[in-house]
Structure formats: structure tokens, C-alpha cells
């Protein structure tokens, strides 16, 4: 718990871990991702629906639900059914509370910051550890849409099972962690070292930082407000150590998860606040870092801030990005590619910008597309819809995903629908990273079975061995 509650550990290697997910996705390849409840459980046991079950050590890292129906709020059959979580060989569940209570922020052990609801989704990031077994079930047979992520441990250390005995100490740690997540939205509170960079029109401005075993814990950029739009059009490149190719090479706005100047995001790791773009993903390096900003239309005078600290040892992994765009997604045989790379590392974040022609009552039906993560040649994660991956649900429904909103670990900074619709979203895998040993191939469909044409731009954030 102490390791997980250190935000900077998002950059630490996860070679002893494996990320998997249980969900209500349509096993027949269609779009019945919970609508009929056909695939919304592993099995019925004594009248209860078993949603996830694992043997071995690990922790439950994420639980997500959305409202069970289109026009009525509430979960399951709205009868205050309980969620029951069994750990190890215990016949009595450690967690046995009404499912909706899990997300309220009032239940001991489930504090705000790690749980919540909004934009149609209910989410829980409280890590629930177990040593040899876990089972998640809910009362009754009325499950519709759900996802449960689990981090399985493959190392030699012993995982201590969460219990009533250690629940009090754990509750305080989690409460402090939840508060810290909210406090750190907008960047670090410490003073940053500032640099002035002049970027000529259509040319490159650069900054080089030399430090043995250094780490940048925040990069922010400030520009005159009337030049923000031009700044967002720039290209950003970051080189670590003596690498000839940049590990980060993206449109600058994508690195800060900003769809445009009128729709800034505000999250734990990126966004725009107090006139500054910020990204607080830890950026370790062994000797030096070079940051390049390429302007495409006018000269820019930038104030760049860096929070630079020491590392304890040489880093095996560096922050990397993969940018991809399909304008539009015409290929009905291929989903939009989020990341395809080989090596050892772990996936920590997604930012997606979409735009397309709406259907019916201005609905962005391209968001029906499922995300699929193939890890080391095997599918480990298969989702139930694009807005579900971003912890939301029921797009276009009043009171659900029908507007923009930002949360610490996910959000839709832009959601505007007319004849043409625009939807942009981010998600950070702080407690549910996706490790890979040799390869990762991550995609997201554009509509059911890639049936919809729309403009897609995305950036994947990941750490990989140099």
C-alpha cells in the first residue's frame, strides 16, 4: 500500500506484475457489451453473480460500473444489492456493502480521490490485496455493464492480504492518498527551475539539462495568453541521454492532454492551470535530457519550468510516447492503433481526440468501439466501449456523458455534439498499469467492429527499457 501511494512510483519497473481485466464484453464479437447481460458474469453461484475470480497473489486495482439502464439511474436492479469481495480462503467476504456505497466516498476504506462517480460512470481505484485468491461478486442476476481490473504478482515476495485487522491503518493511508491526488491536480507545489526559450517561427527552440541520475518530476510551459493557440500547434520532442531519436515526439497539445485552447484539461498528471501547461509524469534520465519545441507559425517566447530531482540509482526505463492519427478511420478491418512496440515496459496513459458525424440525436456512435490490449502475444484486456475505458458511460444521455468534466485520473475535457461531434478523453493508469515483457499491441475500435468513419488522434504514454 505504501508503494502504491507514492505517485512517482508510476515510473518504477513492473516486471513482477501482470495486468488483466474481467468485463462484460461481447464474446461473439458484436456490441452486446452488457445491454442484455449475456456476458455480464462468469457464473451464478448461490444466486449471486461472480464477476471476477483469480488464483495467486495480487490486488484488485479498478472496479467500474455504469447505470444499468438508459433512462433510470442506479446500479444492478436498484435494490441496494451488495458487492461481496472474498480474499484467500476466507468464507466470509471482507467487503460486503451495497454496491453504490462503494463509490460514495463515505465508506471507510473507500475515500474520495480513489472512488467517485460522474459522467455516467462509477469508479473505484482502492487497491485490495490478496495472497492467494480473490473473488468479486454481486447479489442477484441483474448485472449489465462492468469492468474489474486485477494486478497479478509474479515475484518472490509475499503479498499481505487486506484484512479487518489492518483495515484501520490502511484506511488512513488511503484517505491521505485520495486527498493528495486532489491536491496535486494542477502541478507540484514546489518551486521549479525556470528557463526562457525563444522559439523562432517555423524553427526549433531547445533546452538541455545535464545531471547525473536526474529526474524531471514536472515540466510546465507558460506563454502569453494570446499566443496559447500557437503554442498548442507546436511539436514537442524530448531526448533522453545520448539517444539519437526522441522518446517523446508528439504534437505539444497531446503531451499536456489539451484538445484545444477552449477546452483545457485538469488532471493529476497533465493539463492547464494558472496560465501554465503542466505534465507531472516522472521523467527519469541517467545523464541528460534535451527538450525541443518546434513552432509552426510564429515566434514564441516561452517560460519553461522544470522540477529536477535526484534518482537513487540508474534508471532502466524512460518515459516514451506513441502518437497516431487516422483522418478519418476508413479501414473497416482495422481498429485505431494506440500503441505497438516491442521490449519490456509498462503502459500508463491514453489521450484520445475524436471528431465525426453524429447519428440520431447527435450521438457519437463511434464511441461504441472496444479497447483491446494484447500483451506479449495474448489478449489480457478487452473492454466494453470507448467511454467505458475512460470511466464514463451512456454518452448523449442527460446527466451522464453529455458534457465535459475532469477528474484526477480520467475525464472528457471536450464533449460537444451537433451535426458534427467532438469528444476528447484521457485516462491515467496510476494504480492499474499494464506491464509487458516483450511486446504490447493496443487498439481501440472506431464504432462497433470499426464500422464508423471519424477522425482519431491519440497518444499513448508508457515507460520502456532503454
Amino acid at each position: 500500500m505504501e508503494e502504491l501511494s507514492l505517485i512517482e512510483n508510476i515510473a518504477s519497473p513492473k516486471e513482477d506484475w501482470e495486468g488483466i481485466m474481467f468485463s462484460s464484453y461481447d464474446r461473439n464479437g458484436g456490441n452486446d457489451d452488457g445491454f442484455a447481460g449475456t456476458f455480464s458474469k462468469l457464473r451464478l453461484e448461490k444466486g449471486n453473480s461472480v464477476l471476477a475470480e483469480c488464483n495467486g497473489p495480487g490486488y484488485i486495482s479498478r472496479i467500474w460500473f455504469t447505470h444499468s439502464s438508459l433512462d433510470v439511474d442506479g446500479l444492478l436492479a436498484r435494490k441496494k444489492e451488495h458487492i461481496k469481495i472474498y480474499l484467500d480462503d476466507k468464507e466470509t467476504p471482507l467487503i460486503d456493502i451495497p454496491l453504490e456505497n462503494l463509490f460514495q466516498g463515505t465508506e471507510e476504506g473507500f475515500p474520495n480521490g480513489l472512488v467517485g462517480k460522474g459522467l455516467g460512470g462509477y469508479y473505484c481505484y482502492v487497491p485490495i490485496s490478496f495472497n492467494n485468491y480473490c473473488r468479486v461478486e454481486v447479489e442477484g442476476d441483474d448485472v449489465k455493464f462492468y469492468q474489474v481490473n486485477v494486478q497479478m504478482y509474479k515475484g518472490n515476495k509475499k503479498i499481505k492480504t487486506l484484512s479487518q485487522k489492518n483495515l484501520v491503518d490502511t484506511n488512513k493511508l488511503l484517505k491521505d492518498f485520495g486527498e493528495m491526488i486532489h491536491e496535486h491536480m494542477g502541478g507540484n507545489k514546489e518551486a521549479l527551475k525556470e528557463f526562457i526559450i525563444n522559439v523562432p517561427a517555423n524553427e526549433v527552440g531547445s533546452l538541455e539539462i545535464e545531471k547525473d541520475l536526474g529526474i524531471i518530476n514536472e515540466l510546465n510551459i507558460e506563454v502569453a495568453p494570446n499566443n496559447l493557440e500557437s503554442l498548442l500547434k507546436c511539436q514537442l520532442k524530448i531526448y533522453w541521454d545520448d539517444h539519437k531519436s526522441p522518446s517523446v515526439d508528439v504534437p505539444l497539445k497531446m503531451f499536456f492532454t489539451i484538445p484545444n485552447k477552449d477546452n483545457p484539461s485538469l488532471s493529476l498528471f497533465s493539463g492547464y492551470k494558472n496560465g501554465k501547461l503542466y505534465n507531472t509524469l516522472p521523467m527519469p534520465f541517467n545523464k541528460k535530457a534535451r527538450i525541443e519545441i518546434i513552432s509552426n507559425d510564429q515566434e514564441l517566447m516561452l517560460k519553461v519550468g522544470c522540477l529536477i530531482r535526484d534518482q537513487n540509482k540508474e534508471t532502466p526505463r524512460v518515459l516514451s510516447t506513441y502518437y497516431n492519427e487516422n483522418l478519418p478511420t476508413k479501414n473497416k478491418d482495422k481498429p485505431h492503433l494506440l500503441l505497438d512496440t516491442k521490449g519490456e515496459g509498462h503502459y500508463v496513459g491514453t489521450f484520445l481526440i475524436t471528431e465525426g458525424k453524429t447519428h440520431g440525436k447527435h450521438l457519437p456512435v463511434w464511441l461504441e468501439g472496444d479497447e483491446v490490449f494484447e500483451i506479449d502475444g495474448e489478449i489480457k484486456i478487452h473492454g466494453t466501449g470507448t467511454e467505458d475505458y475512460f470511466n464514463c458511460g451512456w454518452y448523449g444521455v442527460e446527466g451522464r456523458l453529455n458534457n465535459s468534466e475532469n477528474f484526477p485520473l480520467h475525464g472528457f475535457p471536450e464533449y460537444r455534439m451537433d451535426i458534427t461531434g467532438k469528444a476528447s478523453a484521457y485516462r491515467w493508469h496510476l494504480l492499474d498499469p499494464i506491464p509487458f515483457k516483450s511486446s504490447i499491441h493496443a487498439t481501440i475500435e472506431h464504432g462497433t467492429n470499426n464500422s464508423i468513419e471519424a477522425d482519431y488522434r491519440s497518444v499513448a504514454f508508457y515507460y520502456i527499457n532503454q
Side-chain angles (χ1 to χ4, degrees):
M1 290 291 187
E2 290 174 350
E3 282 186 29
L4 292 173
S5 63
L6 295 174
I7 292 174
E8 58 267 28
N9 278 349
I10 192 172
S12 300
K14 319 292 181 190
E15 65 267 12
D16 291 334
W17 294 89
E18 175 188 37
I20 61 175
M21 186 170 81
F22 300 85
S23 80
S24 53
Y25 81 91
D26 189 340
R27 273 64 165 174
N28 293 328
N31 194 42
D32 182 13
D33 293 314
F35 292 96
T38 308
F39 308 100
S40 296
K41 55 186 167 295
L42 300 180
R43 65 180 183 275
L44 272 177
E45 186 169 304
K46 298 179 181 179
N48 294 337
S49 298
V50 178
L51 307 184
E53 188 173 38
C54 297
N55 288 295
Y59 68 93
I60 300 168
S61 55
R62 171 178 173 260
I63 299 174
W64 168 89
F65 283 83
T66 188
H67 300 276
S68 298
S69 66
L70 172 69
D71 51 2
V72 181
D73 289 351
L75 298 171
L76 307 177
R78 295 171 291 279
K79 297 177 180 178
K80 301 293 184 182
E81 298 102 315
H82 280 216
I83 182 172
K84 300 172 183 284
I85 300 179
Y86 296 82
L87 304 178
D88 295 346
D89 55 356
K90 301 295 187 297
E91 296 183 2
T92 302
L94 176 70
I95 309 298
D96 188 356
I97 59 176
L99 177 58
E100 292 194 24
N101 288 18
L102 191 75
F103 311 102
Q104 302 293 341
T106 55
E107 197 77 30
E108 186 165 310
F110 296 90
N112 282 317
L114 295 177
V115 306
K117 60 181 180 177
L119 296 184
Y122 295 74
Y123 60 92
C124 169
Y125 280 109
V126 172
I128 301 172
S129 58
F130 52 91
N131 183 49
N132 56 55
Y133 174 79
C134 83
R135 184 172 82 251
V136 179
E137 61 183 54
V138 293
E139 291 179 320
D141 190 19
D142 292 290
V143 189
K144 298 293 186 182
F145 313 91
Y146 86 92
Q147 298 179 2
V148 175
N149 290 72
V150 181
Q151 311 302 117
M152 300 300 296
Y153 183 61
K154 305 298 181 179
N156 298 319
K157 297 179 182 178
K158 184 177 180 179
I159 299 294
K160 189 174 183 179
T161 302
L162 186 64
S163 66
Q164 290 292 343
K165 185 177 179 180
N166 58 33
L167 202 56
V168 175
D169 291 339
T170 301
N171 180 48
K172 182 181 186 310
L173 185 65
L174 292 172
K175 186 176 180 181
D176 291 344
F177 187 28
E179 291 174 355
M180 182 175 61
I181 285 177
H182 277 289
E183 289 172 1
H184 279 72
M185 289 176 67
N188 289 286
K189 309 306 177 188
E190 301 174 50
L192 277 62
K193 188 173 183 179
E194 294 184 338
F195 307 86
I196 301 298
I197 300 179
N198 181 56
V199 186
N202 303 305
E203 293 189 27
V204 181
S206 64
L207 167 65
E208 191 159 300
I209 298 169
E210 294 188 6
K211 182 178 179 61
D212 288 338
L213 301 183
I215 183 169
I216 300 172
N217 271 17
E218 179 176 344
L219 171 65
N220 69 38
I221 304 177
E222 185 176 1
V223 70
N226 60 326
N227 287 333
L228 178 59
E229 186 171 6
S230 292
L231 175 61
L232 294 175
K233 293 178 181 178
C234 292
Q235 188 78 6
L236 174 68
K237 297 183 180 184
I238 305 178
Y239 301 75
W240 306 121
D241 300 322
D242 295 317
H243 288 199
K244 301 300 181 184
S245 299
S247 295
V248 173
D249 187 359
V250 294
L252 185 141
K253 69 178 183 180
M254 304 295 289
F255 189 72
F256 298 97
T257 64
I258 307 291
N260 52 65
K261 69 179 182 63
D262 298 318
N263 294 275
S265 65
L266 180 67
S267 77
L268 175 62
F269 288 112
S270 64
Y272 182 73
K273 186 177 182 180
N274 297 328
K276 297 178 182 179
L277 299 169
Y278 69 92
N279 186 304
T280 60
L281 284 173
M283 307 174 208
F285 56 93
N286 294 322
K287 295 180 180 179
K288 62 182 178 181
R290 187 167 88 253
I291 300 167
E292 293 184 352
I293 298 171
I294 301 97
S295 174
N296 72 346
D297 63 355
Q298 72 176 65
E299 181 178 5
L300 294 171
M301 185 66 70
L302 307 177
K303 183 186 291 185
V304 177
C306 294
L307 179 56
I308 306 169
R309 291 179 175 153
D310 295 318
Q311 292 190 78
N312 293 327
K313 58 183 179 179
E314 190 168 292
T315 180
R317 294 193 177 174
V318 294
L319 176 65
S320 302
T321 60
Y322 180 82
Y323 175 74
N324 187 31
E325 61 181 38
N326 284 292
L327 309 172
T329 52
K330 289 187 176 181
N331 194 329
K332 293 189 177 182
D333 296 323
K334 288 186 177 181
H336 175 75
L337 180 65
L338 296 174
L339 175 62
D340 183 46
T341 193
K342 297 187 183 303
E344 185 174 15
H346 59 285
Y347 190 103
V348 297
T350 307
F351 179 51
L352 177 67
I353 297 178
T354 66
E355 180 175 352
K357 182 181 178 181
T358 59
H359 295 68
K361 297 180 179 180
H362 300 323
L363 298 177
V365 295
W366 61 88
L367 296 184
E368 291 296 325
D370 296 350
E371 83 279 7
V372 177
F373 284 77
E374 184 178 310
I375 308 300
D376 304 328
E378 183 179 350
I379 293 176
K380 297 292 185 181
I381 291 173
H382 191 141
T384 55
T386 302
E387 80 274 34
D388 306 351
Y389 168 73
F390 293 103
N391 282 329
C392 301
W394 291 112
Y395 58 73
V397 177
E398 191 68 33
R400 309 209 183 150
L401 179 51
N402 199 36
N403 56 274
S404 61
E405 193 169 353
N406 295 286
F407 303 93
L409 299 177
H410 69 277
F412 273 78
E414 180 181 38
Y415 185 92
R416 294 184 292 163
M417 296 298 145
D418 207 317
I419 295 174
T420 297
K422 296 182 178 182
S424 304
Y426 61 87
R427 175 172 160 192
W428 299 114
H429 293 259
L430 173 61
L431 292 156
D432 57 331
I434 306 172
F436 51 95
K437 290 283 189 183
S438 59
S439 66
I440 179 171
H441 183 80
T443 61
I444 195 161
E445 295 177 312
H446 44 97
T448 304
N449 297 319
N450 307 306
S451 57
I452 305 297
E453 286 190 14
D455 287 348
Y456 271 59
R457 298 175 175 87
S458 66
V459 60
F461 296 87
Y462 62 104
Y463 291 89
I464 194 164
N465 286 357
Q466 299 190 72

